[in-house]
Amino acid sequence: TLGGCDTGDAKITRGYNLPARYAIHTVGPVWRGGNDGEPELLASCYATSLRLGAAKGCKTFAFPAISTGIYGYPADQAAEIAVSTLSETLTDLPHVEKVILVAFDASNKTHLETALRRAQS
């Protein structure tokens, strides 16, 4: 019913039975070695999703580690892109109060924590 979604883009729907007003759908890139626009497409997933939700008045967001599952994006690189893109995008969205980064496993969690520490220093 969304009419598809291009890689790097995002669309928003009602949350239906989720404990959220909206669900934002994005399509991350499949890892092809990093020279096929993957970093820019992944960054676009985060930035577009955040801006789309903010335009609907969302103040809290939760993001999975986009593309690090079956799409094969290296979790360490994906974490750096997620943290830097979200940090940069949030400077233009002062009403956003909270962003939660959700890790699939302990390894993803470590990579996200490392990226967050680097961003704070």
Side-chain angles (χ1 to χ4, degrees):
T1 62
L2 292 176
C5 187
D6 293 331
T7 302
D9 200 4
K11 295 191 176 182
I12 193 167
T13 64
R14 292 179 310 153
Y16 298 100
N17 292 328
L18 294 171
R21 190 173 319 150
Y22 298 105
I24 300 172
H25 311 269
T26 190
V27 179
V30 173
W31 181 253
R32 291 186 170 89
N35 296 317
D36 200 24
E38 297 98 308
E40 295 81 9
L41 289 167
L42 184 58
S44 180
C45 289
Y46 286 101
T48 303
S49 295
L50 197 58
R51 290 187 188 286
L52 188 60
K56 289 283 194 178
C58 298
K59 295 181 180 181
T60 301
F61 293 79
F63 287 98
I66 299 169
S67 285
T68 63
I70 61 170
Y71 282 9
Y73 210 110
D76 59 335
Q77 294 177 43
E80 293 290 337
I81 290 169
V83 169
S84 65
T85 301
L86 290 169
S87 295
E88 183 179 308
T89 306
L90 284 167
T91 62
D92 297 334
L93 304 170
H95 68 279
V96 173
E97 297 173 0
K98 187 180 206 177
V99 175
I100 301 163
L101 298 173
V102 181
F104 294 121
D105 55 28
S107 176
N108 265 329
K109 181 177 183 237
T110 299
H111 293 304
L112 286 168
E113 289 172 339
T114 299
L116 285 166
R117 276 194 301 276
R118 283 189 188 141
Q120 292 173 343
S121 57

